Amino acid sequence: MGERKVLNKYIPADFDPKLVPRGKKPKDDLVPVRMMLPFSIQCSTCSSFLYRGRKFNSKKEPVRGIDGKYLGIQRFRFYIKCSDCSRPITFLTDPKNADYEMESGGTRNYEVWHDENKTNADFEKQNEEDEKLDSMKALENRVAESQREMAELDALEEIRAMNARHVGLMKGGGKRLDAAGAVLKAREEAMGKKGEEV
């Protein structure tokens, strides 16, 4: 039974490692990759949905040609098969947007967060155009912005004052704690007298 757990093998004296054949794959060969879908897809043949996070055995290859690299970063193409109709679906990496791009075999489902930056940029651009055309609107926006900043500064000052009080209570404890204790004691005695009177 000990033979199957051998840690070192016998190497003959005339062994030449250069003569051992090595299996080399051609450079254009597809590399199998176990991956999860980075976005939801609807198959264009059978209309079934493949949801984000689903595991697939995919094939990966580097993209060739002009679109093969973006700023020196290699783009990759992934091949998967639809789980219902076995139609091949391909998508590419998109280093420009730090995302993926559908190529063929299906359509990418709409994702709200995906368009959030675009919507915000369009909104800001629209506001700038409105301000250029309407000087009263620009003035109103500036006044509202300054009021918001003043409210934020007031809230910040209040927080700083509270922190300073807390630090004073923690550090100097003596007089301030005694004064706070006296106020609490006086309040309790007043409450006690009112309770006795009733």
Side-chain angles (χ1 to χ4, degrees):
M1 284 303 262
E3 297 87 27
R4 65 187 183 85
K5 294 184 179 180
V6 175
L7 298 175
N8 51 1
K9 309 268 187 204
Y10 171 71
I11 299 173
D14 60 343
F15 176 73
D16 188 8
K18 293 177 185 173
L19 299 177
V20 176
R22 290 191 173 182
K24 291 184 180 178
K25 288 186 176 182
K27 288 187 177 181
D28 294 338
D29 197 20
L30 300 174
V31 179
V33 176
R34 179 84 170 159
M35 70 175 293
M36 294 173 125
L37 275 183
F39 52 87
S40 297
I41 300 172
Q42 184 176 12
C43 179
S44 57
T45 304
C46 64
S47 298
S48 63
F49 289 94
L50 307 172
Y51 293 104
R52 180 175 183 240
R54 172 119 186 230
K55 289 185 179 178
F56 278 95
N57 291 322
S58 63
K59 302 284 185 184
K60 178 181 87 169
E61 74 171 355
V63 178
R64 307 277 183 224
I66 298 170
D67 297 331
K69 290 195 176 186
Y70 172 75
L71 299 176
I73 300 170
Q74 179 65 50
R75 296 182 70 198
F76 291 98
R77 177 178 288 114
F78 294 94
Y79 297 93
I80 62 169
K81 288 186 178 179
C82 175
S83 54
D84 290 342
C85 65
S86 297
R87 179 191 173 149
I89 298 171
T90 61
F91 56 92
L92 305 167
T93 56
D94 185 10
K96 180 179 181 181
N97 301 319
D99 200 13
Y100 293 87
E101 161 188 341
M102 257 325 278
E103 188 176 33
S104 66
T107 56
R108 183 174 183 164
N109 292 351
Y110 176 75
E111 295 162 333
V112 175
W113 61 268
H114 193 68
D115 291 337
E116 182 180 6
N117 294 336
K118 183 180 177 186
T119 306
N120 290 342
D122 290 344
F123 182 71
E124 289 174 6
K125 187 177 179 183
Q126 182 67 33
N127 281 347
E128 288 176 7
E129 289 176 4
D130 289 346
E131 287 179 0
K132 286 180 183 177
L133 297 174
D134 189 6
S135 60
M136 282 302 289
K137 185 163 181 107
L139 181 63
E140 289 173 0
N141 287 344
R142 276 184 284 174
V143 168
E145 183 71 21
S146 65
Q147 287 177 347
R148 187 183 61 79
E149 286 178 7
M150 291 299 287
E152 287 178 358
L153 287 174
D154 290 343
L156 184 61
E157 280 299 319
E158 189 175 322
I159 291 170
R160 284 183 179 163
M162 286 177 58
N163 286 343
R165 272 186 262 140
H166 287 299
V167 168
L169 287 174
M170 299 291 266
K171 282 185 182 176
K175 292 180 182 177
R176 288 193 173 183
L177 282 178
D178 290 342
V183 169
L184 289 174
K185 199 173 203 179
R187 181 180 281 174
E188 286 173 5
E189 289 174 3
M191 294 295 253
K193 287 180 183 177
K194 285 182 183 177
E196 290 172 6
E197 291 173 2
V198 175

